[in-house]
Amino acid sequence: MARFNYGGQALIEGVMMRGRDAIAVAFRHPGGDIVWASEALDSGPHAWRLAKAPFVRGLIVLYETLIVGTRWLIRSANIQASAEGVELGKGSVALMLGLTLVLGVGVFFLLPLLIAAFTTSKVESGWVQHLVEGLIRVGLFLGYLAVISRAPDIRRVFEYHGAEHMTIHALEAGDPLTTDAVRKYPTAHPRCGTEFLVIFIILSILIFSLLVGQSLLVSIIGRILLIPVIASIAYELLRFGAKHRDKVWLRWLYLPGIWLQGITTKQPDDSMIAVAIASMQEALAANHEDAPAGSWDVPRRPMPMGSDKGVSEQESAPDQLIR
């Protein structure tokens, strides 16, 4: 039976898995055991009538990455900080979400435009400025990944990223979700968010060319307004590429996204794979699906109320899922 394509996201000492109707998260608690929680995708943009329609679903994924994903990333940091008696309040979380969005747009979209406009101010051709802007955007993106990958804490996140992908590979192959079965799969995956970002950046260079010759103010506003348009197209191209990766020419076309995952994914240890399997098991359960026969029912417990305000305790289920 065909299964929905699960996805996921690496967190701090944890993994988030997403199914059609719900997400699940699992974390390695500072005490050493695994805790989990799940959340239905039935509010906000998820409740839109056309939420799963082509091009609209790309905007939902963008929302999930920027809002839902970042919220759980901060909650995962809270869990690790709880061992030291530290916890971020809702106001701090909202502020960090806002800053993440503003900095992302500012650094990767507006800053390249401003630098290019300044450095090519004496060049009459708008296409030269556009080319310089594109090169700066690519350079900033690659430089950002290269710098953060050197931090030990970020490397652990990238290892959990690898565990997430390997677990998804195993599920898609119909293998039992066990450490040995998951271990044989690569850390790179064709539906990875890294590959989405590569497509997104290439598309932005192409689509922003429509603004060549416009004033700086129009260029800034236009870029901001075009971000959701680019995201929706990029997501459809990502899905298409993943679905038809058996074609040689497509494998070559999408190869840069696989190469870049050499930075954003690393080989995990067995404890990380256990967390990814636990998250997948709970996601499968939340989406009313069964894990493949023979899967390991990873020992875990519901996330306690004290680990995060607003996350309710839930009962663990024996059969449980990613995308």
Side-chain angles (χ1 to χ4, degrees), residues 118-147:
F118 176 77
T119 56
T120 63
S121 59
K122 296 183 179 180
V123 179
E124 293 185 3
S125 174
W127 287 99
V128 173
Q129 176 183 319
H130 181 67
L131 177 61
V132 171
E133 178 192 349
L135 293 174
I136 292 173
R137 182 172 296 112
V138 171
L140 283 173
F141 177 60
L142 295 177
Y144 169 76
L145 291 180
V147 169

Side-chain angles (χ1 to χ4, degrees), residues 148-159:
I148 66 171
S149 66
R150 299 178 65 88
D153 289 344
I154 298 300
R155 183 179 178 84
R156 286 190 64 82
V157 173
F158 288 170
E159 289 169 355

Side-chain angles (χ1 to χ4, degrees), residues 3 6 25 33 38 42 117 135 164 171 197 217 227 236 248-249 252 272 292 305 318 323:
R3 187 190 292 274
Y6 283 84
V25 294
D33 53 347
S38 61
D42 57 2
L135 293 174
E164 170 222 325
L171 180 74
L197 289 175
L217 179 60
I227 287 176
E236 296 304 320
V248 176
W249 69 273
W252 280 99
M272 295 173 177
M305 291 291 289
R323 180 185 64 189

Side-chain angles (χ1 to χ4, degrees), residues 245-266:
R245 200 58 61 96
D246 57 320
K247 295 179 173 59
V248 176
W249 69 273
L250 268 179
R251 284 203 300 273
W252 280 99
L253 186 63
Y254 284 79
L255 199 55
I258 298 296
W259 286 341
L260 205 56
Q261 289 181 58
I263 298 177
T264 62
T265 65
K266 303 296 181 184

Side-chain angles (χ1 to χ4, degrees), residues 49-166:
R49 185 175 182 179
L50 298 177
K52 297 177 183 178
F55 297 102
V56 177
R57 58 195 175 193
L59 300 179
I60 305 301
V61 170
L62 181 62
Y63 165 82
E64 289 174 357
T65 302
L66 295 177
I67 306 301
V68 179
T70 303
R71 172 159 49 82
W72 277 107
L73 184 64
I74 294 172
R75 288 179 176 178
S76 67
N78 261 341
I79 290 175
Q80 301 309 311
S82 65
E84 302 176 7
V86 178
E87 185 173 352
L88 294 174
K90 291 184 178 180
S92 299
V93 171
L95 178 61
M96 291 184 69
L97 287 172
L99 288 176
T100 299
L101 181 59
V102 171
L103 287 175
V105 173
V107 171
F108 293 107
F109 290 94
L110 302 186
L111 182 60
L113 171 64
L114 296 177
I115 295 176
F118 176 77
T119 56
T120 63
S121 59
K122 296 183 179 180
V123 179
E124 293 185 3
S125 174
W127 287 99
V128 173
Q129 176 183 319
H130 181 67
L131 177 61
V132 171
E133 178 192 349
L135 293 174
I136 292 173
R137 182 172 296 112
V138 171
L140 283 173
F141 177 60
L142 295 177
Y144 169 76
L145 291 180
V147 169
I148 66 171
S149 66
R150 299 178 65 88
D153 289 344
I154 298 300
R155 183 179 178 84
R156 286 190 64 82
V157 173
F158 288 170
E159 289 169 355
Y160 274 104
H161 193 190
E164 170 222 325
H165 284 177
M166 294 161 72

Side-chain angles (χ1 to χ4, degrees), residues 55 57-59 61-62 190 192-193 195-204 207 226-242 254:
F55 297 102
R57 58 195 175 193
L59 300 179
V61 170
L62 181 62
C192 176
E195 192 155 320
F196 171 81
L197 289 175
V198 171
I199 298 172
F200 189 96
I201 289 175
I202 294 174
L203 272 179
S204 72
I207 294 179
L226 284 172
I227 287 176
V229 176
I230 297 171
S232 64
I233 298 174
Y235 181 70
E236 296 304 320
L237 290 176
L238 181 71
R239 285 174 59 95
F240 177 82
Y254 284 79

Side-chain angles (χ1 to χ4, degrees), residues 162-212:
E164 170 222 325
H165 284 177
M166 294 161 72
T167 304
I168 295 173
H169 275 302
L171 180 74
E172 292 173 339
D175 282 350
L177 301 181
T178 64
T179 303
D180 290 341
V182 169
R183 174 64 69 187
K184 69 182 182 182
Y185 288 99
T187 60
H189 194 282
R191 289 196 317 278
C192 176
T194 303
E195 192 155 320
F196 171 81
L197 289 175
V198 171
I199 298 172
F200 189 96
I201 289 175
I202 294 174
L203 272 179
S204 72
I205 295 173
L206 296 175
I207 294 179
F208 287 166
S209 66
L210 299 174
L211 299 172
V212 169

